[in-house]
Amino acid sequence: MKWLYKISTALLFATAVASAALAMYYLNKANEAYNGNTVDVFSGNPEYHFSLIIHTGDDEEYWQSFKEGVFEAGKVHNAAIEYNPMSDPDSTDKIIEYVNIAAKSRVDGIIVNGRNSEEYSEAVNSAAESGVHIVVGAAETVDGNRISYVGTNFYDYGEKAAKLISQASDKGFPIDLAVILSDESRNGISQSDIMMSGIKSVIEKEKRINLLCTLYRSSDLLGAEDLTRDILNQHPDVDVIFCTNAKDTEAAARVIVERNLVGDVVIVGTGLTEEIRHYIRKGIIFGVLDRNGYDAGYKAVETLCGSMGYSFHSDYIYIDTDIYTQINIDQGDKKR
């Protein structure tokens, strides 16, 4: 029987060595993949370890606020946050690599925002199937257990945008509207599509808005400034231009000033930066919708912490969208 004992001991030892080697392999792979942008936010003795993988894309203001919410919630809930930011247009492959490595490293949870693709969805679903809890930043990625979306209800966002637009011009109805969207390069029905459905539902119901055009910014080479100029040239009767992120909102407002059209064409936008506040006070931007990135980031961590210890099902957790105009912009300052 001694030989059985020796064989069992040898097998256990071999298994331990193999496990250690495998762990070291994935650790080395993680070190190779994670570049100088990776930031670790640790509490003294973290109870959880989460990986935050964000493609900021065109909506930098939102994702910066989202990150701050994640960090704050990590401190409150005693969670270590490994932060991997990306902004390159061709970062999809790297995001997929980070998701795969985080799953192999057995983190407790992943918070990820990536451009939707078949490969990206496969990576997210594979990580979830391996037992990792995941919060995604794009609602169309949610199609499996252990995956949750935390963020904007884009249909409601579109409805609120339309109602704000209907108040933005004093020229009478219908208000001539142009919309500038970012091209998110997503497959299937995108968040922009859902948002436009919300806008159109109000247009059809209230008959106060005439949708002149919807333009997509395909790259930074053709930015919101160029699209705004195109709108003004091709649709001189436009009353309101609606933008769906802070970067485009600021750019469109600058063109209105440049063309000396303050009071003739107004902007309704998204986000709340110092520049946007200035334009709201000057009447160049009538109002903006704030998607509350901070609250979304904070809730993402809460969602992951709450999922530990029991089955985590697909779910949609919506964060309220606030509206700011000249009337309540001071409340937005206090919020920040």
Side-chain angles (χ1 to χ4, degrees):
M1 296 298 290
K2 287 184 178 181
W3 63 273
L4 285 175
Y5 174 77
K6 290 179 179 180
I7 291 174
S8 299
T9 303
L11 288 173
L12 287 172
F13 178 76
T15 300
V17 171
S19 298
L22 190 63
M24 287 300 297
Y25 169 78
Y26 285 120
L27 179 61
N28 289 333
K29 288 293 288 182
N31 288 334
E32 290 173 9
Y34 296 156
N35 56 30
N37 289 329
T38 299
V39 178
D40 292 318
V41 181
F42 292 100
S43 56
N45 184 24
E47 185 175 355
Y48 308 113
H49 182 193
F50 299 143
S51 181
L52 174 62
I53 307 165
I54 290 181
H55 179 269
T56 57
D58 301 309
D59 207 350
E60 295 178 14
E61 185 267 343
Y62 176 83
W63 291 110
Q64 174 66 25
S65 297
F66 185 97
K67 178 202 75 174
E68 292 170 2
V70 168
F71 283 6
E72 185 60 30
K75 297 173 185 176
V76 172
H77 293 280
N78 197 26
I81 308 295
E82 185 179 75
Y83 176 45
N84 303 286
M86 278 161 279
S87 58
D88 297 336
D90 301 323
S91 59
T92 299
D93 290 342
K94 185 167 286 188
I95 291 173
I96 292 171
E97 182 181 7
Y98 282 18
V99 170
N100 290 334
I101 290 173
K104 295 289 194 310
S105 301
R106 305 301 299 170
V107 296
D108 296 306
I110 298 172
I111 303 171
V112 58
N113 175 57
R115 293 178 182 272
N116 196 31
S117 67
E118 184 177 345
E119 294 77 13
Y120 174 69
S121 294
E122 287 176 358
V124 170
N125 281 289
S126 177
E129 289 168 5
S130 73
V132 180
H133 304 289
I134 301 174
V135 168
V136 294
E140 60 264 34
T141 312
V142 178
D143 59 0
N145 288 330
R146 297 181 185 273
I147 304 174
S148 182
Y149 168 74
V150 177
T152 305
N153 179 333
F154 279 91
Y155 190 87
D156 175 73
Y157 167 66
E159 288 184 319
K160 287 182 176 178
K163 290 175 181 178
L164 184 61
I165 290 164
S166 68
Q167 303 169 27
S169 176
D170 56 6
K171 295 182 180 180
F173 301 118
I175 292 171
D176 288 327
L177 169 68
V179 178
I180 296 177
L181 300 173
S182 298
D183 181 5
E184 293 290 349
S185 299
R186 303 187 186 277
N187 298 336
I189 299 176
S190 71
Q191 294 178 157
S192 292
D193 294 330
I194 298 170
M195 184 272 296
M196 286 305 300
S197 294
I199 287 180
K200 290 174 181 177
S201 71
V202 175
I203 290 176
E204 293 171 2
K205 186 186 304 181
E206 299 186 357
K207 312 294 184 184
R208 294 185 176 186
I209 299 171
N210 175 37
L211 182 59
L212 295 173
C213 62
T214 302
L215 302 181
Y216 290 84
R217 179 162 57 76
S218 57
S219 71
D220 285 333
L221 296 177
L222 186 62
E225 291 98 338
D226 297 314
L227 292 181
T228 302
R229 294 186 187 103
D230 287 346
I231 290 167
L232 296 173
N233 292 335
Q234 296 175 24
H235 302 281
D237 294 331
V238 66
D239 299 314
V240 179
I241 299 174
F242 174 54
C243 301
T244 58
N245 62 57
K247 182 178 179 181
D248 290 353
T249 301
E250 293 170 346
R254 292 186 206 113
V255 175
I256 297 304
V257 174
E258 167 195 297
R259 291 290 185 94
N260 196 28
L261 291 172
V262 177
D264 294 323
V265 181
V266 296
I267 306 298
V268 171
T270 305
L272 200 59
T273 65
E274 287 302 323
E275 186 174 356
I276 287 173
R277 291 185 184 92
H278 169 74
Y279 286 133
I280 289 175
R281 292 191 174 97
K282 294 294 183 180
I284 300 162
I285 296 175
F286 175 76
V288 294
L289 297 99
D290 182 8
R291 294 173 51 207
N292 289 311
Y294 180 93
D295 293 346
Y298 197 102
K299 189 64 178 180
V301 172
E302 284 192 335
T303 299
L304 288 179
C305 291
S307 71
M308 301 296 127
Y310 61 87
S311 179
F312 185 68
H313 299 287
S314 299
D315 202 1
Y316 294 85
I317 301 169
Y318 293 126
I319 305 300
D320 288 340
T321 298
D322 293 326
I323 293 175
Y324 293 100
T325 64
Q326 282 184 334
I327 295 173
N328 65 340
I329 189 61
D330 290 341
Q331 296 177 23
D333 291 342
K334 292 175 182 177
K335 182 177 178 181
R336 291 300 189 277

